[in-house]
Amino acid sequence: MPTHYDIFNGDADGICALHQLRLGEPKSEAQLITGVKRDIRLLASPHLEKCHNCTLTVLDVSLDSNRSDLERLLSNDNRIRYIDHHSADPIPKHPLLTSTINTSAEVCTSLLVNEILDGMFASWAVCGAFGDNLHSSADRLIRKYSTTDSDALKFREIGELLNYNGYGSSLEDLHFDPAELYRSVSHFEDPLIFFHEAEELSTLREGFKEDAERASSITEHPTKGKNRVFFFPDASWARRISGNFSNKQARSKPESAHALITHNPDGTLRISVRAPLADRKNADVLCKQFPGGGGRAAAAGINSLPETELDRFFQTFNKLYS
């Protein structure tokens, strides 16, 4: 049985956070536990059921969504390091738990790891921030290290493509299992070499282009007021491009809140919410009012909303972002 586990969100922020940490603090052997971006109950993984006297590193995974499993793992004498930017109130106090949690809307896990490592691999933190749609935070880090405009554009594309790969209802929707994509990234200390040499990035670039072309035909759902709503069909391409589409729309109208509603195969609805970029608040407050909802202040979601609850969602959405 492994003695160490690296547990991370399967999006750009989770991958870039873990990559920085393992460049700075190598582990000779670690069991990877991850999944699609919305698979956030990672501490409930069957791999951890019999985990005793192990060490675990948890990155970019909501503590609130994993609280009971975290407490169980701590009671089994596992030493846990938790780094994250999602809601976590209250943070458990336990001698075996070390936590670095900052829920500020301008922070992501990659940026927290960058601070822990004193900027040793800041370029990867920039990639993670771009992937998490924190362009202002990424730009501040770029200016700090005098990165060229050309390199900054490459970091942005890396982050957005890694993030694009994390979206789907199951691993079958994705181009790559996030664990395999992380292993590919882990061979490159310099993201610019990864940009030019990684075959996986070329595959993601082509897939992204095709999915974005399909998404360009989606029109805005008629609504009253400044907030915007879009509906996507039950299709793998729609689930893959949903995160990038939501981020792009949010950047285009920073005063508006955005909701992207995707039909699930079982007839329920998957909802992604972006708070206005001009005031990154309450996306998590909104989504937590519905079963399966969670996230952070700037961006949150609901995995499986019954259609009968859609009107209540719209009412709550428009009231909160009036």
Side-chain angles (χ1 to χ4, degrees), residues 25-42:
E25 302 175 4
K27 290 281 186 184
S28 57
E29 293 184 12
Q31 170 87 29
L32 300 179
I33 297 178
T34 186
V36 299
K37 180 178 175 68
R38 287 288 183 92
D39 187 2
I40 55 175
R41 288 287 311 282
L42 294 179

Side-chain angles (χ1 to χ4, degrees), residues 55-300:
T55 61
L56 291 74
T57 299
V58 187
L59 298 161
D60 197 34
V61 176
S62 167
L63 193 155
D64 277 350
S65 299
N66 289 272
R67 187 176 298 277
S68 61
D69 292 296
L70 173 63
E71 292 171 347
R72 172 181 57 80
L73 288 163
L74 289 169
S75 70
N76 288 335
D77 296 324
N78 296 293
R79 186 173 298 277
I80 301 175
R81 185 181 191 183
Y82 214 114
I83 308 174
D84 186 42
H85 64 130
H86 297 90
S87 176
D89 187 24
I91 299 172
K93 294 182 179 179
H94 195 283
L96 294 178
L97 175 65
T98 302
S99 63
T100 303
I101 296 178
N102 183 341
T103 60
S104 167
E106 297 298 323
V107 167
C108 64
T109 310
S110 291
L111 294 174
L112 294 175
V113 173
N114 180 65
E115 292 179 2
I116 291 169
L117 298 177
D118 294 324
M120 289 175 62
F121 308 101
S123 295
W124 282 109
V126 170
C127 295
F130 273 131
D132 233 27
N133 204 35
L134 296 179
H135 287 220
S136 297
S137 298
D139 288 339
R140 283 194 291 272
L141 202 54
I142 284 169
R143 290 194 297 271
K144 180 177 179 179
Y145 291 97
S146 302
T147 305
T148 66
D149 290 344
S150 174
D151 289 350
L153 288 173
K154 294 171 183 174
F155 297 154
R156 174 174 171 174
E157 185 175 11
I158 290 171
E160 292 181 347
L161 289 177
L162 293 179
N163 211 53
Y164 158 72
N165 184 74
Y167 280 85
S169 61
S170 66
L171 292 177
E172 286 70 28
D173 281 337
L174 311 188
H175 291 285
F176 300 101
D177 184 318
E180 293 304 316
L181 189 55
Y182 163 74
R183 290 189 181 98
S184 174
V185 169
S186 70
H187 296 298
F188 297 88
E189 182 172 326
D190 185 346
L192 296 177
I193 299 177
F194 175 75
F195 180 88
H196 291 292
E197 295 186 3
E199 294 181 2
E200 292 85 354
L201 204 65
S202 297
T203 299
L204 291 175
R205 190 177 288 117
E206 289 302 313
F208 177 86
K209 181 180 178 181
E210 292 176 6
D211 292 348
E213 287 176 354
R214 290 188 176 105
S216 66
S217 65
I218 301 294
T219 58
E220 184 177 341
H221 183 70
T223 57
K224 294 181 180 180
K226 66 178 181 178
N227 298 325
R228 307 172 76 201
V229 174
F230 296 86
F231 279 86
F232 268 20
D234 171 16
S236 291
W237 72 262
R239 291 186 285 271
R240 285 194 299 264
I241 201 65
S242 61
N244 178 270
F245 183 89
S246 295
N247 291 341
K248 181 179 179 181
Q249 297 303 325
R251 292 194 300 272
S252 72
K253 291 195 175 182
E255 301 296 328
S256 300
H258 290 73
L260 174 60
I261 302 170
T262 304
H263 290 270
N264 287 325
D266 63 359
T268 62
L269 302 169
R270 176 186 296 252
I271 302 182
S272 295
V273 174
R274 298 293 184 271
L277 289 184
D279 188 21
R280 295 171 178 260
K281 295 178 181 177
N282 292 329
D284 53 343
V285 173
L286 167 64
C287 292
K288 285 181 179 180
Q289 296 183 48
F290 299 86
R296 52 193 173 88

